[in-house]
Amino acid sequence: KDKPAASKDSTPEGAAKRQEDGAETPKQQLLDIIGNMKVEVSYRKKLQQLKASENKKQAINKVEGPNSEGSVPQGTAEDTQRGKPLNPELVKAASAVASFLPHNKKQTESELLAQLRRHEETTDKQKKGGAINIRNVISEMAVKRQSPAQRGARITGRLSLRLDEDGQRIRPERSSAQSTDSRRSLKVGKRLNIFTKTSTKPEHTLETVSSPTIWDLEFAKEVAAVTAQPPRNGFEEMIQWTKEGILWEFPIDNEVGMEDDAEFHEHIFLEKHLEGFPKEGPIRHFMELVVCGLSKNPYLSVKQKVEHIEWFQKYFEEKKELLQEI
Amino acid sequence: MAAAALSWALRAARQVLPSPCPGQVRSYYVDWRMLRDVKRRRMAYEHADERLRINAIRKNSILPRELQEAADKEIAALPRDSCPVRIRNRCVLTSRPRGVRRRWRLSRIVFRHFADHAQMSGVQRAMW
């Protein structure tokens, strides 16, 4: 995607050719032909890979197989000669499936059987714990398949003449394409399991994030200020207000900001907090009235009520000497 | 001591209020009286609980009188600005102490100014 963007800037003609499908110049047609000409050999290999892992479900994919591989049936002939005799039930099922499919029945049947044989082979090998056979591995490797669009882009890059303002030829930016090529060839494709896996990184377990520095905060603020576009319409304005907290969230929730996890009995039955007070006397009487008032108060949280009672307890503790005199 | 109080008051007067909104931002309080009112409000908020509890001890007929007298002394010892009676509902924009409508916290002159310029939502000139 970098390629078209870069070339778009420098060559308006190239962009026009790529964008407008209606006006197909002979050059564009040529490029299309070149792109489509790439024989789908890789696709066949990929199909065989898929089938090796599953059983008969891929029979449906095979519909496309015979169509594209009409010209290249040699590989299958080799496959049929290999292997042990298959399970007769599987063979019957394969023939039934082949008869069910609309296309060339004999070919589909032979290919299905070949596929089954290969499947048996691989399972046997895995059971024995067979060594890695490089030949098999390489045969299963899929040739890198370029999409026609990418191919067309690359060819246009080579063929088109890019001129600077001065009239000098600009070297087309191939760095991105080449880097993508190398990147793709390294990491794409089936893993060969030739090299042992590296030890698991211990970094993941101990990743401590240092507290964000002032510069980080400032940078974050700057980014937020730059990216915050003014609202285009009333809806966006309301959204912004809601985020800021100016506007409530609808439908209105009466208990916003009020997270009272305590049950009603904790609010009402507060006598258990009166254990620190003397059992009789005016203080007890007073505190019972206080508790009665608190139990009827819907505005305070349980924590606040408990703090209230504790304050009184502390106060009366301090005034104990005075009370003794009385 | 006077210098310290003055410097603190200066700093308080020059407090830059937080400005989250992109509209008009006023960096200072309107005048010193408004600042003093703000200080009184803050202090009243801090001591509100204590005052309530001490008054609860004072204003009842159950507890012995000595206790109530002790509570009297205690409440008198609290800072003078902590009582809510000293708060004056001034106009928010002009700091006018009189003629302030409580619902809008604005003095009558400012209210009228905004209402005539149609900047008060739902306020209309009366005619009947």
Side-chain angles (χ1 to χ4, degrees):
Chain A
K1 303 325 188 256
D2 302 326
K3 196 90 176 90
S7 52
K8 218 189 263 185
D9 295 340
S10 46
T11 45
E13 42 170 326
K17 276 176 201 162
R18 243 173 276 110
Q19 279 169 0
E20 289 165 338
D21 294 327
E24 271 197 330
T25 60
K27 190 174 171 184
Q28 185 60 23
Q29 283 169 351
L30 178 66
L31 293 173
D32 284 342
I33 291 162
I34 292 167
N36 291 332
M37 240 173 59
K38 184 152 177 76
V39 178
E40 297 184 293
V41 178
S42 56
Y43 189 47
R44 172 171 154 261
K45 300 268 185 194
K46 263 192 202 166
L47 270 178
Q48 286 182 343
Q49 275 177 50
L50 283 171
K51 283 157 205 164
S53 54
E54 291 180 30
N55 213 335
K56 274 168 295 190
K57 265 189 193 170
Q58 269 62 43
I60 296 160
N61 288 341
K62 271 283 193 181
V63 172
E64 299 152 299
N67 289 340
S68 63
E69 298 148 36
S71 54
V72 192
Q74 301 133 8
T76 49
E78 291 169 4
D79 289 345
T80 48
Q81 289 159 13
R82 258 192 276 163
K84 313 174 215 171
L86 292 170
N87 201 348
E89 287 181 10
L90 289 176
V91 171
K92 271 190 214 165
S95 60
V97 167
S99 60
F100 180 68
L101 290 170
H103 294 278
N104 192 357
K105 289 173 191 174
K106 274 192 186 166
Q107 187 153 27
T108 45
E109 194 179 332
S110 63
E111 287 187 355
L112 276 171
L113 290 170
Q115 202 44 51
L116 285 169
R117 270 195 210 97
R118 287 181 95 243
H119 176 68
E120 295 272 351
E121 261 187 30
T122 49
T123 44
D124 289 340
K125 214 181 279 179
Q126 277 170 7
K127 277 179 203 167
K128 289 174 200 168
I132 295 159
N133 198 345
I134 290 287
R135 193 176 264 185
N136 284 354
V137 161
I138 291 171
S139 69
E140 285 184 19
M141 267 166 60
V143 178
K144 189 183 80 171
R145 180 172 166 249
Q146 295 171 353
S147 62
Q150 278 184 357
R151 241 188 111 68
R154 269 175 221 143
I155 290 160
T156 38
R158 276 171 223 146
L159 296 176
S160 68
L161 191 74
R162 281 168 218 192
L163 293 176
D164 205 357
E165 291 132 24
D166 300 346
Q168 293 182 356
R169 191 164 176 187
I170 305 172
R171 201 186 118 78
E173 289 175 25
R174 286 180 203 146
S175 56
S176 56
Q178 285 170 353
S179 58
T180 46
D181 284 1
S182 60
R183 245 186 276 131
R184 279 195 68 198
S185 62
L186 279 176
K187 291 183 186 169
V188 110
K190 212 177 85 165
R191 278 199 165 269
L192 302 178
N193 292 328
I194 296 170
F195 302 102
T196 51
K197 244 187 183 177
T198 54
S199 58
T200 54
K201 297 170 199 169
E203 306 159 35
H204 286 296
T205 49
L206 305 168
E207 267 187 25
T208 51
V209 180
S210 60
S211 64
T213 63
I214 298 169
W215 306 114
D216 291 340
L217 292 170
E218 282 300 314
F219 181 64
K221 275 188 214 168
E222 222 183 285
V223 165
V226 165
T227 53
Q229 300 295 324
R232 295 177 295 182
N233 51 36
F235 289 118
E236 291 197 3
E237 198 183 28
M238 283 203 278
I239 290 167
Q240 204 173 338
W241 283 346
T242 310
K243 278 185 199 163
E244 283 172 31
I246 297 167
L247 206 59
W248 285 344
E249 285 182 4
F250 294 96
I252 289 179
D253 183 16
N254 277 326
E255 290 167 17
V256 160
M258 204 176 81
E259 286 174 28
D260 209 9
D261 305 321
E263 299 285 318
F264 72 98
H265 56 86
E266 285 172 52
H267 275 96
I268 292 169
F269 302 116
L270 296 160
E271 262 125 37
K272 57 180 182 239
H273 300 293
L274 285 183
E275 281 158 20
F277 295 95
K279 297 267 171 160
E280 290 174 348
I283 294 178
R284 183 79 187 192
H285 186 36
F286 173 73
M287 285 316 295
E288 274 173 13
L289 287 174
V290 166
V291 161
C292 176
L294 281 178
S295 67
K296 294 182 189 177
N297 189 334
Y299 301 109
L300 297 179
S301 68
V302 174
K303 214 177 167 188
Q304 285 170 323
K305 291 180 186 176
V306 168
E307 273 174 20
H308 199 88
I309 295 169
E310 278 172 11
W311 186 91
F312 274 114
Q313 196 169 1
K314 235 191 329 178
Y315 183 80
F316 288 127
E317 293 272 327
E318 285 166 19
K319 303 287 167 182
K320 237 184 187 167
E321 310 95 30
L322 194 74
L323 294 170
Q324 301 307 336
E325 286 166 32
I326 305 163
Chain B
M1 192 179 83
L6 185 67
S7 63
W8 179 82
L10 264 171
R11 240 180 289 122
R14 291 191 176 301
Q15 278 170 42
V16 179
L17 308 173
S19 58
C21 59
Q24 189 185 41
V25 171
R26 286 146 188 260
S27 318
Y28 309 110
Y29 288 114
V30 176
D31 57 7
W32 291 89
R33 281 169 289 174
M34 190 191 240
L35 175 75
R36 290 200 302 259
D37 196 56
V38 167
K39 283 194 286 182
R40 279 182 206 124
R41 280 168 196 266
R42 282 198 192 134
M43 212 167 247
Y45 181 78
E46 283 165 37
H47 296 274
D49 293 336
E50 282 173 39
R51 285 193 95 95
L52 173 76
R53 287 156 190 170
I54 296 172
N55 269 330
I57 292 170
R58 282 170 69 220
K59 310 277 179 180
N60 67 57
S61 51
I62 306 162
L63 294 173
R65 203 170 296 168
E66 288 84 3
L67 201 62
Q68 286 174 358
E69 280 162 20
D72 282 342
K73 283 181 210 157
E74 229 170 83
I75 204 168
L78 284 176
R80 198 165 275 193
D81 272 351
S82 65
C83 63
V85 193
R86 287 170 72 95
I87 293 170
R88 181 82 198 184
N89 291 324
R90 286 178 166 270
C91 169
V92 164
L93 292 179
T94 53
S95 179
R96 196 162 193 275
R98 296 196 174 97
V100 179
R101 297 300 296 182
R102 201 166 194 156
R103 184 170 164 183
W104 295 276
R105 301 180 187 173
L106 292 176
S107 87
R108 55 179 177 83
I109 305 157
V110 178
F111 174 81
R112 214 165 154 268
H113 177 268
F114 283 140
D116 286 341
H117 286 73
Q119 286 164 5
M120 296 292 267
S121 173
V123 172
Q124 198 189 10
R125 276 193 161 262
M127 190 180 354
W128 72 97

